[in-house]
């Protein structure tokens, strides 16, 4: 089947957003709420095993804060400076923290805090010129996707993507394949006509479960993940003056950056 669309994960794939973006925004919100939750770089790496910010906060409390009242015991901890401290349920707390975190994170993006990864801008432009369809498949909140695209690629960039599948639009987040099924259905394309781009084990598990050939670009948090089933694993997409490194076996030789020719051959070969 001919290659017709490129499906991009966001966090870690389009941009290195986790360590200096999402993590920082979570910590700011915890401090503002008077919570002594603090996610350092190493702990955040472990927490990334749970996709979705709300799900990640719940997991943190369950796994690392046995002192905290269990989520099912609805009231938040007594003595914690939260308005109003005793009336807010755990779910409400998580919802409120998450909304505030999204506001912090999108403000950081508006200030240009997080650049795109190497080759992303170039590849998107090449794909558009060749009339390949573009789509997003991510677990992050839709507002975060809009902010990243707008502030790195320009005010029109969201319209470049035929489908943006993000956040709670599907109940089961990656590694479940649901977000990819959602995007494929709206594109009206079979998985065999697409390539997915991912950076993490949860991401490739989701893409592979949906039947997608997947290009992986690793980052510091995901370098040691299991990428079984990847079409290829790269350190990044590369530029003419900044060659990628191939970290897996390669079905395609003779390229130093991911251009459309490279992707077409990978799609045909993998
Ligand atoms: C990565 C995620 C996200 C972000 C946080 O998503 O798991 O949850 O870390 O975003 P992907 P929210 O790699 O699929 O883009 O707080 O908005 O959930
Ligand atoms: Mg990712």
């Amino acid at each position: 089947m001919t290659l017709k669309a490129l499906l991009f994960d966001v966090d870690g794939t389009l941009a290195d957003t986790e360590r200096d973006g999402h993590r920082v925004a979570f910590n700011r919100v915890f401090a503002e709420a008077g919570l002594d939750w603090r996610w350092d770089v190493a702990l955040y790496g472990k927490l990334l095993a749970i996709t979705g910010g709300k799900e990640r906060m719940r997991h943190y409390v369950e796994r690392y804060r046995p002192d905290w009242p269990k989520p099912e015991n609805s009231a938040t901890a007594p003595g914690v400076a939260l308005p109003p401290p005793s009336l807010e349920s755990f779910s409400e707390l998580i919802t409120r923290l998450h909304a505030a975190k999204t506001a912090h994170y999108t403000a950081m993006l508006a200030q240009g805090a997080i650049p795109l990864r190497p080759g992303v801008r170039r590849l998107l432009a090449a794909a558009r010129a060749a009339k390949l369809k573009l789509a997003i498949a991510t677990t992050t909140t839709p507002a975060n996707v809009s902010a990243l695209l707008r502030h790195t690629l320009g005010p029109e960039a969201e319209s470049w993507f035929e489908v943006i599948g993000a956040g709670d639009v599907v109940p089961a987040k990656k590694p479940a394949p649901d977000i990819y099924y959602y995007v494929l259905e709206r594109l009206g394309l079979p998985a065999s006509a697409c390539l997915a781009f991912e950076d993490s084990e949860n991401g490739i598990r989701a893409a592979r479960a949906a039947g997608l050939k997947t290009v992986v670009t690793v980052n510091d948090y995901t370098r040691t993940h299991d990428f079984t089933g990847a079409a290829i694993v790269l350190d990044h997409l590369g530029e003419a003056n900044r060659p990628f490194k191939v970290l897996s076996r390669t079905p395609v030789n003779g390229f130093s950056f991911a251009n459309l020719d490279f992707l077409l051959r990978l799609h045909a070969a993998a």
Side-chain angles (χ1 to χ4, degrees):
M1 172 74 77
T2 331
L3 180 62
K4 299 219 171 86
L6 307 182
L7 279 48
F8 290 90
D9 169 52
V10 173
D11 295 301
T13 300
L14 293 184
D16 254 325
T17 51
E18 294 291 8
R19 191 191 67 186
D20 300 330
H22 290 292
R23 185 185 69 88
V24 173
F26 279 116
N27 282 326
R28 284 185 186 164
V29 165
F30 299 155
E32 278 170 9
L35 294 163
D36 66 349
W37 305 356
R38 219 193 97 56
W39 292 356
D40 65 24
V41 171
L43 173 60
Y44 194 67
K46 292 185 190 148
L47 295 174
L48 281 173
I50 307 299
T51 58
K54 295 187 287 295
E55 294 82 352
R56 192 168 298 143
M57 284 189 279
R58 286 180 177 281
H59 167 77
Y60 168 73
V61 171
E62 282 162 19
R63 167 79 176 73
Y64 294 93
R65 303 307 300 255
D67 54 313
W68 197 264
K70 289 271 182 305
E72 54 272 21
N73 306 335
S74 54
T76 50
V80 174
L82 293 168
S86 58
L87 297 178
E88 188 178 47
S89 74
F90 185 74
S91 286
E92 286 164 347
L93 169 67
I94 294 295
T95 302
R96 182 164 66 81
L97 292 174
H98 193 252
K101 177 260 171 177
T102 300
H104 272 292
Y105 177 71
T106 53
M108 291 170 73
L109 292 179
Q111 287 160 9
I114 313 273
L116 295 174
R117 295 194 64 192
V120 169
R121 180 187 307 272
R122 173 187 54 73
L123 187 59
L124 292 175
R128 292 184 72 220
K131 303 260 184 291
L132 280 183
K133 291 183 179 185
L134 297 174
I136 297 281
T138 176
T139 65
T140 204
T141 302
N144 299 345
V145 182
S146 307
L148 181 71
L149 295 178
R150 199 175 319 132
H151 296 299
T152 55
L153 292 163
E156 306 298 318
E158 266 181 282
S159 68
W160 301 353
F161 294 84
E162 184 141 334
V163 182
I164 295 184
D168 298 327
V169 70
V170 290
K173 294 186 175 165
K174 298 175 190 177
D178 302 34
I179 194 66
Y180 279 108
Y181 287 139
Y182 173 95
V183 169
L184 288 170
E185 193 187 325
R186 275 154 190 79
L187 281 173
L189 289 173
S192 57
C194 305
L195 266 182
F197 294 78
E198 280 285 357
D199 70 301
S200 70
E201 189 168 336
N202 279 328
I204 193 174
R205 283 174 62 194
R208 294 293 296 143
L212 288 152
K213 291 177 180 173
T214 307
V215 177
V216 172
T217 50
V218 302
N219 56 59
D220 285 345
Y221 273 135
T222 66
R223 214 167 290 279
T224 58
H225 285 191
D226 179 358
F227 293 117
T228 303
I232 199 164
V233 182
L234 306 169
D235 59 346
H236 52 70
L237 293 174
E239 298 284 16
N241 61 356
R242 187 174 175 185
F244 58 46
K245 282 197 196 72
V246 180
L247 307 174
S248 62
R249 61 165 196 93
T250 177
V252 178
N253 285 301
F255 292 87
S256 63
F257 63 96
N259 59 13
L260 286 190
D261 193 17
F262 172 79
L263 295 184
L264 288 168
R265 293 199 199 189
L266 206 55
H267 180 252

